[in-house]
Amino acid sequence: MLLFAVSLARGTARIHRHAMNFRTSKATGALAALLLAAGCATTPAPVPASTGPALWAVADADTTIYLFGTVHALPKDVPWMRGKIGPALAASDTLVTEIDLATADTAAMQAFVMKNALLGEQENLRDLLTQAQRARFEAGTAKLGMPVGAFDRFEPWYAALMFALVPLAKAGVVGENGVEQALVAQAGAPRERAALETMDYQLSLFDSLPREAQIDYLMKAVDGSDDIRAMLDAMVAEWLEGDADALARLMNEDMAGDTALMERLLWQRNRAWADWVAKRLDTPGTVFVAVGAGHLAGPRSVQADLAAKGLRVRRVQ
């Protein structure tokens, strides 16, 4: 899942409180109640015998760039800052994340959603679905404990993200507990920051999908919402063990077989990030790059794209 999508959980409650003041020409919804609810108790994943999440490095004579795969949202107090991760971050001049987290505030979230996630004034999300899809969608909305029309004014891609984020938020799994937030806090204020993408760009990846592709993605999210917490627990376990390939399979299995979606959400971005890393090697220093772990595994990973450029990427842990 994109980092901006997890960041949406930080501002969704206020966005929907604001939206409820509008009639049909504006957004309406009831996600606030769920996202403001106290999270249920969570149990930290057991600490495996391995040294921790995977870490890679690519270097030349005067530059080292660490590549660290993250999980954007976690239960509270998962013990992941282990092994060589902390020392690598401490040695780095610059911390690079997918987006600039400082701009992912509630006001920005509200503006993005109101601008990009609304259907046309005469459109209704449930009216875009077939009878069978609508029945599944309405049943899924009820399982979330939400009014049946909670998503009526939103585009399918946004509703799909909420079907993933709402169950996690109810369980106390939010971006505030994610890896990026902890890295920013540990890096400290003096550390130079950079971002590979903007929130507008990440938003456009979904918003520009054809309507049918958005609906297909929504129905997958609806059908999988009951299992989202179990899937996250499985992801965290593989991530803590440093099994990057197993983690990538879990993270990307909902897109398996959909090469167009994989190209849009993963592969084209991996190539762009590999270009960024290769160019950054021209500037001396030490850089810590933290991106979603799904980008750092598999045959078309960032490392594979770097290798295609003739650069050697070594596993640090």
Side-chain angles (χ1 to χ4, degrees), residues 185-246:
Q186 179 136 336
R191 195 80 48 139
E192 184 177 345
R193 306 282 170 74
L196 297 169
E197 297 173 343
T198 66
M199 243 180 209
D200 284 319
Y201 171 72
Q202 289 201 349
L203 188 64
S204 73
L205 293 172
F206 285 106
D207 191 44
S208 61
L209 283 171
R211 181 65 59 81
E212 287 305 312
Q214 291 188 34
I215 291 173
D216 180 63
Y217 196 69
L218 169 60
M219 299 317 300
K220 288 178 180 178
V222 169
D223 293 339
S225 63
D226 286 345
D227 302 323
I228 191 72
R229 179 56 199 273
M231 181 177 292
L232 178 71
D233 288 342
M235 290 178 184
V236 171
E238 300 291 1
W239 178 65
L240 287 171
E241 289 186 10
D243 192 337
D245 290 328

Short mmCIF file of all heavy atoms in Angstrom, two decimals, residues 185-246:
data_model
loop_
_atom_site.label_atom_id
_atom_site.label_comp_id
_atom_site.label_asym_id
_atom_site.label_seq_id
_atom_site.Cartn_x
_atom_site.Cartn_y
_atom_site.Cartn_z
N ALA A 185 11.58 10.41 13.68
CA ALA A 185 11.81 10.79 15.08
C ALA A 185 13.23 10.47 15.50
O ALA A 185 13.90 11.27 16.17
CB ALA A 185 10.80 10.09 15.98
N GLN A 186 13.72 9.30 15.11
CA GLN A 186 15.06 8.90 15.53
C GLN A 186 16.14 9.69 14.80
O GLN A 186 17.21 9.95 15.35
CB GLN A 186 15.26 7.40 15.30
CG GLN A 186 16.65 6.90 15.70
CD GLN A 186 16.59 5.59 16.46
OE1 GLN A 186 15.58 5.25 17.07
NE2 GLN A 186 17.67 4.84 16.42
N ALA A 187 15.86 10.05 13.55
CA ALA A 187 16.86 10.79 12.78
C ALA A 187 17.13 12.15 13.39
O ALA A 187 18.25 12.66 13.34
CB ALA A 187 16.41 10.94 11.33
N GLY A 188 16.11 12.77 13.98
CA GLY A 188 16.30 14.07 14.62
C GLY A 188 16.15 15.22 13.65
O GLY A 188 16.31 15.09 12.44
N ALA A 189 15.87 16.37 14.19
CA ALA A 189 15.59 17.56 13.40
C ALA A 189 16.74 18.00 12.50
O ALA A 189 16.48 18.48 11.39
CB ALA A 189 15.16 18.70 14.33
N PRO A 190 18.00 17.92 12.91
CA PRO A 190 19.07 18.44 12.05
C PRO A 190 19.29 17.63 10.78
O PRO A 190 19.93 18.09 9.85
CB PRO A 190 20.31 18.37 12.96
CG PRO A 190 19.78 18.25 14.34
CD PRO A 190 18.51 17.48 14.21
N ARG A 191 18.77 16.40 10.75
CA ARG A 191 19.04 15.53 9.61
C ARG A 191 18.38 16.10 8.34
O ARG A 191 17.24 16.55 8.35
CB ARG A 191 18.46 14.14 9.89
CG ARG A 191 18.96 13.05 8.96
CD ARG A 191 20.32 12.57 9.38
NE ARG A 191 20.35 12.31 10.82
CZ ARG A 191 20.96 11.28 11.37
NH1 ARG A 191 21.58 10.41 10.61
NH2 ARG A 191 20.97 11.13 12.67
N GLU A 192 19.12 16.05 7.24
CA GLU A 192 18.54 16.48 5.98
C GLU A 192 17.49 15.48 5.54
O GLU A 192 17.63 14.27 5.74
CB GLU A 192 19.64 16.58 4.91
CG GLU A 192 19.14 17.12 3.59
CD GLU A 192 20.27 17.27 2.57
OE1 GLU A 192 21.45 17.23 2.97
OE2 GLU A 192 19.94 17.43 1.38
N ARG A 193 16.41 15.98 4.95
CA ARG A 193 15.31 15.11 4.51
C ARG A 193 15.12 15.27 3.00
O ARG A 193 15.37 16.32 2.43
CB ARG A 193 14.01 15.48 5.21
CG ARG A 193 14.09 15.50 6.72
CD ARG A 193 14.04 14.10 7.32
NE ARG A 193 14.36 14.14 8.73
CZ ARG A 193 13.56 14.60 9.67
NH1 ARG A 193 12.37 15.07 9.36
NH2 ARG A 193 13.95 14.59 10.93
N ALA A 194 14.62 14.21 2.39
CA ALA A 194 14.27 14.26 0.97
C ALA A 194 13.13 13.27 0.74
O ALA A 194 12.89 12.38 1.55
CB ALA A 194 15.47 13.91 0.10
N ALA A 195 12.44 13.45 -0.36
CA ALA A 195 11.33 12.57 -0.71
C ALA A 195 11.44 12.16 -2.17
O ALA A 195 11.87 12.96 -3.02
CB ALA A 195 10.00 13.26 -0.46
N LEU A 196 11.07 10.94 -2.46
CA LEU A 196 11.14 10.42 -3.83
C LEU A 196 9.94 10.84 -4.66
O LEU A 196 10.03 10.92 -5.89
CB LEU A 196 11.24 8.89 -3.80
CG LEU A 196 12.50 8.33 -3.14
CD1 LEU A 196 12.35 6.82 -2.94
CD2 LEU A 196 13.75 8.63 -3.95
N GLU A 197 8.81 11.06 -4.00
CA GLU A 197 7.57 11.39 -4.69
C GLU A 197 6.80 12.46 -3.92
O GLU A 197 7.21 12.84 -2.82
CB GLU A 197 6.69 10.13 -4.85
CG GLU A 197 7.34 9.04 -5.69
CD GLU A 197 6.56 7.74 -5.70
OE1 GLU A 197 5.69 7.54 -4.83
OE2 GLU A 197 6.83 6.90 -6.57
N THR A 198 5.71 12.90 -4.50
CA THR A 198 4.82 13.82 -3.81
C THR A 198 3.50 13.12 -3.52
O THR A 198 3.15 12.11 -4.15
CB THR A 198 4.54 15.07 -4.66
OG1 THR A 198 3.79 14.67 -5.83
CG2 THR A 198 5.83 15.76 -5.07
N MET A 199 2.74 13.68 -2.59
CA MET A 199 1.43 13.12 -2.31
C MET A 199 0.51 13.23 -3.52
O MET A 199 -0.28 12.32 -3.80
CB MET A 199 0.80 13.84 -1.12
CG MET A 199 0.58 12.90 0.02
SD MET A 199 -0.14 13.70 1.42
CE MET A 199 0.58 12.64 2.66
N ASP A 200 0.62 14.34 -4.25
CA ASP A 200 -0.21 14.50 -5.45
C ASP A 200 0.06 13.36 -6.44
O ASP A 200 -0.86 12.82 -7.05
CB ASP A 200 0.08 15.84 -6.12
CG ASP A 200 -0.57 17.00 -5.40
OD1 ASP A 200 -1.72 16.86 -4.96
OD2 ASP A 200 0.08 18.04 -5.26
N TYR A 201 1.32 13.02 -6.61
CA TYR A 201 1.65 11.95 -7.55
C TYR A 201 1.10 10.61 -7.06
O TYR A 201 0.50 9.86 -7.84
CB TYR A 201 3.17 11.85 -7.72
CG TYR A 201 3.59 10.63 -8.51
CD1 TYR A 201 3.36 10.58 -9.88
CD2 TYR A 201 4.19 9.54 -7.89
CE1 TYR A 201 3.71 9.45 -10.62
CE2 TYR A 201 4.54 8.42 -8.61
CZ TYR A 201 4.31 8.37 -9.97
OH TYR A 201 4.64 7.26 -10.69
N GLN A 202 1.31 10.30 -5.78
CA GLN A 202 0.81 9.02 -5.28
C GLN A 202 -0.70 8.95 -5.39
O GLN A 202 -1.26 7.91 -5.72
CB GLN A 202 1.27 8.81 -3.83
CG GLN A 202 2.75 8.51 -3.70
CD GLN A 202 3.11 7.81 -2.41
OE1 GLN A 202 2.31 7.69 -1.49
NE2 GLN A 202 4.35 7.33 -2.33
N LEU A 203 -1.35 10.05 -5.12
CA LEU A 203 -2.81 10.10 -5.25
C LEU A 203 -3.22 9.85 -6.68
O LEU A 203 -4.19 9.12 -6.95
CB LEU A 203 -3.31 11.47 -4.79
CG LEU A 203 -4.82 11.67 -4.66
CD1 LEU A 203 -5.40 10.76 -3.61
CD2 LEU A 203 -5.12 13.12 -4.35
N SER A 204 -2.49 10.42 -7.63
CA SER A 204 -2.85 10.29 -9.04
C SER A 204 -2.73 8.85 -9.54
O SER A 204 -3.39 8.47 -10.51
CB SER A 204 -1.99 11.20 -9.90
OG SER A 204 -0.66 10.71 -10.02
N LEU A 205 -1.90 8.05 -8.89
CA LEU A 205 -1.75 6.66 -9.32
C LEU A 205 -3.07 5.91 -9.26
O LEU A 205 -3.38 5.09 -10.12
CB LEU A 205 -0.71 5.95 -8.45
CG LEU A 205 0.74 6.43 -8.59
CD1 LEU A 205 1.62 5.79 -7.54
CD2 LEU A 205 1.27 6.14 -9.99
N PHE A 206 -3.86 6.19 -8.23
CA PHE A 206 -5.17 5.57 -8.11
C PHE A 206 -6.23 6.37 -8.87
O PHE A 206 -7.08 5.80 -9.55
CB PHE A 206 -5.58 5.48 -6.63
CG PHE A 206 -4.87 4.40 -5.87
CD1 PHE A 206 -3.87 4.71 -4.96
CD2 PHE A 206 -5.19 3.07 -6.06
CE1 PHE A 206 -3.22 3.72 -4.26
CE2 PHE A 206 -4.54 2.06 -5.37
CZ PHE A 206 -3.55 2.39 -4.45
N ASP A 207 -6.17 7.68 -8.72
CA ASP A 207 -7.22 8.53 -9.28
C ASP A 207 -7.28 8.42 -10.81
O ASP A 207 -8.34 8.61 -11.41
CB ASP A 207 -6.98 9.98 -8.85
CG ASP A 207 -8.15 10.88 -9.16
OD1 ASP A 207 -9.30 10.47 -8.91
OD2 ASP A 207 -7.92 12.00 -9.65
N SER A 208 -6.15 8.13 -11.43
CA SER A 208 -6.12 8.06 -12.89
C SER A 208 -6.41 6.66 -13.43
O SER A 208 -6.42 6.45 -14.65
CB SER A 208 -4.74 8.52 -13.41
OG SER A 208 -3.71 7.70 -12.90
N LEU A 209 -6.65 5.69 -12.54
CA LEU A 209 -7.02 4.36 -13.01
C LEU A 209 -8.36 4.42 -13.74
O LEU A 209 -9.26 5.18 -13.35
CB LEU A 209 -7.16 3.41 -11.82
CG LEU A 209 -5.90 2.85 -11.18
CD1 LEU A 209 -6.25 2.11 -9.90
CD2 LEU A 209 -5.15 1.94 -12.13
N PRO A 210 -8.54 3.65 -14.78
CA PRO A 210 -9.85 3.57 -15.43
C PRO A 210 -10.92 3.17 -14.41
O PRO A 210 -10.65 2.45 -13.46
CB PRO A 210 -9.66 2.49 -16.50
CG PRO A 210 -8.19 2.46 -16.75
CD PRO A 210 -7.54 2.79 -15.44
N ARG A 211 -12.13 3.62 -14.62
CA ARG A 211 -13.21 3.38 -13.67
C ARG A 211 -13.39 1.88 -13.38
O ARG A 211 -13.56 1.47 -12.23
CB ARG A 211 -14.51 3.98 -14.22
CG ARG A 211 -15.74 3.82 -13.34
CD ARG A 211 -15.65 4.56 -12.03
NE ARG A 211 -15.45 5.98 -12.11
CZ ARG A 211 -16.41 6.88 -12.34
NH1 ARG A 211 -17.65 6.50 -12.58
NH2 ARG A 211 -16.11 8.17 -12.34
N GLU A 212 -13.35 1.04 -14.42
CA GLU A 212 -13.54 -0.39 -14.20
C GLU A 212 -12.41 -0.98 -13.35
O GLU A 212 -12.65 -1.87 -12.53
CB GLU A 212 -13.63 -1.13 -15.54
CG GLU A 212 -14.94 -0.89 -16.27
CD GLU A 212 -16.15 -1.24 -15.41
OE1 GLU A 212 -16.15 -2.33 -14.80
OE2 GLU A 212 -17.08 -0.42 -15.32
N ALA A 213 -11.20 -0.50 -13.56
CA ALA A 213 -10.07 -0.97 -12.75
C ALA A 213 -10.25 -0.55 -11.29
O ALA A 213 -9.92 -1.31 -10.37
CB ALA A 213 -8.76 -0.44 -13.30
N GLN A 214 -10.75 0.65 -11.08
CA GLN A 214 -11.02 1.10 -9.71
C GLN A 214 -12.07 0.23 -9.04
O GLN A 214 -11.93 -0.13 -7.87
CB GLN A 214 -11.51 2.56 -9.73
CG GLN A 214 -10.47 3.57 -10.11
CD GLN A 214 -10.97 4.99 -9.90
OE1 GLN A 214 -11.74 5.27 -8.99
NE2 GLN A 214 -10.54 5.90 -10.76
N ILE A 215 -13.11 -0.11 -9.77
CA ILE A 215 -14.17 -0.94 -9.20
C ILE A 215 -13.65 -2.33 -8.88
O ILE A 215 -13.97 -2.91 -7.84
CB ILE A 215 -15.38 -0.99 -10.16
CG1 ILE A 215 -16.05 0.38 -10.22
CG2 ILE A 215 -16.38 -2.06 -9.72
CD1 ILE A 215 -17.16 0.48 -11.26
N ASP A 216 -12.83 -2.87 -9.78
CA ASP A 216 -12.24 -4.19 -9.52
C ASP A 216 -11.38 -4.16 -8.27
O ASP A 216 -11.44 -5.07 -7.43
CB ASP A 216 -11.40 -4.62 -10.73
CG ASP A 216 -10.76 -5.99 -10.54
OD1 ASP A 216 -11.50 -6.97 -10.39
OD2 ASP A 216 -9.52 -6.07 -10.52
N TYR A 217 -10.60 -3.09 -8.11
CA TYR A 217 -9.76 -2.93 -6.93
C TYR A 217 -10.62 -2.80 -5.68
O TYR A 217 -10.31 -3.36 -4.63
CB TYR A 217 -8.86 -1.71 -7.11
CG TYR A 217 -7.69 -1.65 -6.17
CD1 TYR A 217 -6.64 -2.56 -6.29
CD2 TYR A 217 -7.61 -0.69 -5.17
CE1 TYR A 217 -5.55 -2.51 -5.43
CE2 TYR A 217 -6.53 -0.64 -4.31
CZ TYR A 217 -5.50 -1.55 -4.45
OH TYR A 217 -4.44 -1.51 -3.59
N LEU A 218 -11.71 -2.07 -5.79
CA LEU A 218 -12.63 -1.91 -4.67
C LEU A 218 -13.21 -3.25 -4.23
O LEU A 218 -13.26 -3.56 -3.03
CB LEU A 218 -13.76 -0.95 -5.06
CG LEU A 218 -14.95 -0.87 -4.08
CD1 LEU A 218 -14.50 -0.39 -2.70
CD2 LEU A 218 -16.03 0.06 -4.65
N MET A 219 -13.65 -4.06 -5.19
CA MET A 219 -14.27 -5.33 -4.81
C MET A 219 -13.26 -6.27 -4.18
O MET A 219 -13.60 -7.04 -3.27
CB MET A 219 -14.92 -5.97 -6.05
CG MET A 219 -16.03 -5.14 -6.68
SD MET A 219 -17.18 -4.37 -5.48
CE MET A 219 -17.83 -5.82 -4.65
N LYS A 220 -12.01 -6.22 -4.62
CA LYS A 220 -10.97 -7.02 -3.96
C LYS A 220 -10.79 -6.55 -2.52
O LYS A 220 -10.60 -7.36 -1.60
CB LYS A 220 -9.65 -6.90 -4.72
CG LYS A 220 -9.63 -7.63 -6.06
CD LYS A 220 -8.30 -7.43 -6.76
CE LYS A 220 -8.25 -8.15 -8.11
NZ LYS A 220 -6.98 -7.91 -8.84
N ALA A 221 -10.83 -5.23 -2.32
CA ALA A 221 -10.68 -4.69 -0.96
C ALA A 221 -11.86 -5.09 -0.09
O ALA A 221 -11.70 -5.43 1.09
CB ALA A 221 -10.54 -3.17 -1.02
N VAL A 222 -13.06 -5.05 -0.64
CA VAL A 222 -14.25 -5.43 0.10
C VAL A 222 -14.16 -6.90 0.52
O VAL A 222 -14.39 -7.26 1.68
CB VAL A 222 -15.52 -5.20 -0.74
CG1 VAL A 222 -16.74 -5.85 -0.09
CG2 VAL A 222 -15.76 -3.71 -0.93
N ASP A 223 -13.80 -7.75 -0.43
CA ASP A 223 -13.73 -9.18 -0.14
C ASP A 223 -12.63 -9.54 0.84
O ASP A 223 -12.73 -10.54 1.56
CB ASP A 223 -13.53 -9.97 -1.45
CG ASP A 223 -14.74 -9.87 -2.38
OD1 ASP A 223 -15.84 -9.55 -1.89
OD2 ASP A 223 -14.56 -10.11 -3.59
N GLY A 224 -11.58 -8.70 0.88
CA GLY A 224 -10.45 -9.03 1.75
C GLY A 224 -10.42 -8.29 3.07
O GLY A 224 -9.51 -8.48 3.86
N SER A 225 -11.43 -7.44 3.31
CA SER A 225 -11.37 -6.59 4.51
C SER A 225 -11.42 -7.38 5.81
O SER A 225 -10.82 -6.98 6.81
CB SER A 225 -12.49 -5.55 4.49
OG SER A 225 -13.77 -6.18 4.51
N ASP A 226 -12.10 -8.52 5.80
CA ASP A 226 -12.16 -9.34 7.02
C ASP A 226 -10.80 -9.90 7.39
O ASP A 226 -10.54 -10.20 8.56
CB ASP A 226 -13.15 -10.50 6.84
CG ASP A 226 -14.60 -10.04 6.89
OD1 ASP A 226 -14.85 -8.91 7.34
OD2 ASP A 226 -15.47 -10.82 6.46
N ASP A 227 -9.94 -10.07 6.39
CA ASP A 227 -8.64 -10.72 6.62
C ASP A 227 -7.50 -9.74 6.73
O ASP A 227 -6.34 -10.14 6.84
CB ASP A 227 -8.35 -11.70 5.47
CG ASP A 227 -9.42 -12.75 5.31
OD1 ASP A 227 -9.95 -13.22 6.34
OD2 ASP A 227 -9.73 -13.11 4.16
N ILE A 228 -7.79 -8.43 6.70
CA ILE A 228 -6.71 -7.44 6.59
C ILE A 228 -5.79 -7.48 7.79
O ILE A 228 -4.57 -7.37 7.67
CB ILE A 228 -7.29 -6.02 6.37
CG1 ILE A 228 -6.19 -5.04 5.98
CG2 ILE A 228 -8.06 -5.54 7.59
CD1 ILE A 228 -5.65 -5.23 4.61
N ARG A 229 -6.33 -7.66 9.01
CA ARG A 229 -5.47 -7.68 10.18
C ARG A 229 -4.61 -8.93 10.22
O ARG A 229 -3.42 -8.87 10.55
CB ARG A 229 -6.30 -7.57 11.46
CG ARG A 229 -5.45 -7.61 12.75
CD ARG A 229 -4.39 -6.50 12.73
NE ARG A 229 -3.32 -6.76 13.66
CZ ARG A 229 -3.33 -6.39 14.95
NH1 ARG A 229 -4.39 -5.77 15.43
NH2 ARG A 229 -2.31 -6.64 15.73
N ALA A 230 -5.20 -10.07 9.87
CA ALA A 230 -4.41 -11.31 9.83
C ALA A 230 -3.31 -11.20 8.80
O ALA A 230 -2.17 -11.67 9.02
CB ALA A 230 -5.32 -12.49 9.53
N MET A 231 -3.62 -10.58 7.66
CA MET A 231 -2.60 -10.41 6.62
C MET A 231 -1.48 -9.49 7.11
O MET A 231 -0.29 -9.76 6.87
CB MET A 231 -3.22 -9.85 5.35
CG MET A 231 -2.22 -9.68 4.21
SD MET A 231 -2.98 -9.10 2.67
CE MET A 231 -3.96 -10.55 2.25
N LEU A 232 -1.85 -8.41 7.82
CA LEU A 232 -0.83 -7.52 8.34
C LEU A 232 0.08 -8.25 9.32
O LEU A 232 1.30 -8.10 9.30
CB LEU A 232 -1.46 -6.31 9.01
CG LEU A 232 -0.44 -5.35 9.64
CD1 LEU A 232 0.33 -4.60 8.56
CD2 LEU A 232 -1.10 -4.36 10.59
N ASP A 233 -0.51 -9.05 10.21
CA ASP A 233 0.29 -9.81 11.17
C ASP A 233 1.27 -10.72 10.45
O ASP A 233 2.43 -10.86 10.87
CB ASP A 233 -0.62 -10.62 12.10
CG ASP A 233 -1.36 -9.75 13.10
OD1 ASP A 233 -0.95 -8.59 13.30
OD2 ASP A 233 -2.36 -10.23 13.66
N ALA A 234 0.81 -11.35 9.37
CA ALA A 234 1.69 -12.22 8.60
C ALA A 234 2.81 -11.43 7.95
O ALA A 234 3.98 -11.84 7.92
CB ALA A 234 0.89 -12.99 7.54
N MET A 235 2.47 -10.24 7.43
CA MET A 235 3.47 -9.37 6.82
C MET A 235 4.53 -8.95 7.83
O MET A 235 5.73 -8.98 7.55
CB MET A 235 2.81 -8.13 6.22
CG MET A 235 1.97 -8.37 5.00
SD MET A 235 1.21 -6.80 4.45
CE MET A 235 0.20 -7.40 3.09
N VAL A 236 4.07 -8.53 9.01
CA VAL A 236 5.00 -8.07 10.04
C VAL A 236 5.93 -9.20 10.45
O VAL A 236 7.14 -8.99 10.66
CB VAL A 236 4.23 -7.51 11.25
CG1 VAL A 236 5.17 -7.24 12.42
CG2 VAL A 236 3.50 -6.23 10.87
N ALA A 237 5.40 -10.41 10.56
CA ALA A 237 6.24 -11.55 10.95
C ALA A 237 7.34 -11.80 9.92
O ALA A 237 8.51 -12.00 10.28
CB ALA A 237 5.37 -12.80 11.13
N GLU A 238 6.98 -11.78 8.63
CA GLU A 238 7.99 -11.99 7.58
C GLU A 238 8.98 -10.84 7.56
O GLU A 238 10.18 -11.04 7.35
CB GLU A 238 7.30 -12.13 6.21
CG GLU A 238 6.33 -13.28 6.08
CD GLU A 238 7.02 -14.64 6.09
OE1 GLU A 238 8.26 -14.70 6.22
OE2 GLU A 238 6.30 -15.65 5.96
N TRP A 239 8.48 -9.62 7.74
CA TRP A 239 9.35 -8.44 7.74
C TRP A 239 10.36 -8.50 8.88
O TRP A 239 11.55 -8.24 8.68
CB TRP A 239 8.47 -7.20 7.85
CG TRP A 239 9.19 -5.90 7.92
CD1 TRP A 239 9.95 -5.33 6.96
CD2 TRP A 239 9.17 -4.99 9.02
NE1 TRP A 239 10.42 -4.10 7.39
CE2 TRP A 239 9.96 -3.87 8.64
CE3 TRP A 239 8.57 -5.00 10.28
CZ2 TRP A 239 10.16 -2.79 9.49
CZ3 TRP A 239 8.77 -3.91 11.11
CH2 TRP A 239 9.56 -2.83 10.72
N LEU A 240 9.91 -8.86 10.07
CA LEU A 240 10.82 -8.95 11.22
C LEU A 240 11.87 -10.04 11.03
O LEU A 240 12.98 -9.94 11.54
CB LEU A 240 10.02 -9.21 12.50
CG LEU A 240 9.21 -8.03 13.05
CD1 LEU A 240 8.31 -8.49 14.19
CD2 LEU A 240 10.13 -6.91 13.52
N GLU A 241 11.51 -11.07 10.30
CA GLU A 241 12.47 -12.14 10.04
C GLU A 241 13.44 -11.80 8.91
O GLU A 241 14.38 -12.54 8.65
CB GLU A 241 11.72 -13.43 9.68
CG GLU A 241 11.00 -14.05 10.87
CD GLU A 241 10.39 -15.39 10.52
OE1 GLU A 241 10.70 -15.91 9.42
OE2 GLU A 241 9.63 -15.93 11.34
N GLY A 242 13.17 -10.68 8.22
CA GLY A 242 14.04 -10.30 7.12
C GLY A 242 13.81 -11.09 5.85
O GLY A 242 14.68 -11.10 4.96
N ASP A 243 12.67 -11.76 5.74
CA ASP A 243 12.35 -12.55 4.55
C ASP A 243 11.66 -11.63 3.54
O ASP A 243 10.43 -11.56 3.46
CB ASP A 243 11.47 -13.73 4.91
CG ASP A 243 11.35 -14.74 3.77
OD1 ASP A 243 11.57 -14.34 2.61
OD2 ASP A 243 11.06 -15.92 4.04
N ALA A 244 12.46 -10.91 2.76
CA ALA A 244 11.93 -9.89 1.86
C ALA A 244 11.05 -10.49 0.77
O ALA A 244 10.03 -9.92 0.40
CB ALA A 244 13.08 -9.11 1.24
N ASP A 245 11.43 -11.64 0.24
CA ASP A 245 10.66 -12.23 -0.85
C ASP A 245 9.29 -12.68 -0.37
O ASP A 245 8.27 -12.46 -1.04
CB ASP A 245 11.42 -13.39 -1.48
CG ASP A 245 12.64 -12.92 -2.27
OD1 ASP A 245 12.57 -11.81 -2.82
OD2 ASP A 245 13.63 -13.65 -2.32
N ALA A 246 9.24 -13.33 0.79
CA ALA A 246 7.95 -13.77 1.34
C ALA A 246 7.07 -12.57 1.64
O ALA A 246 5.85 -12.59 1.41
CB ALA A 246 8.16 -14.62 2.59
#
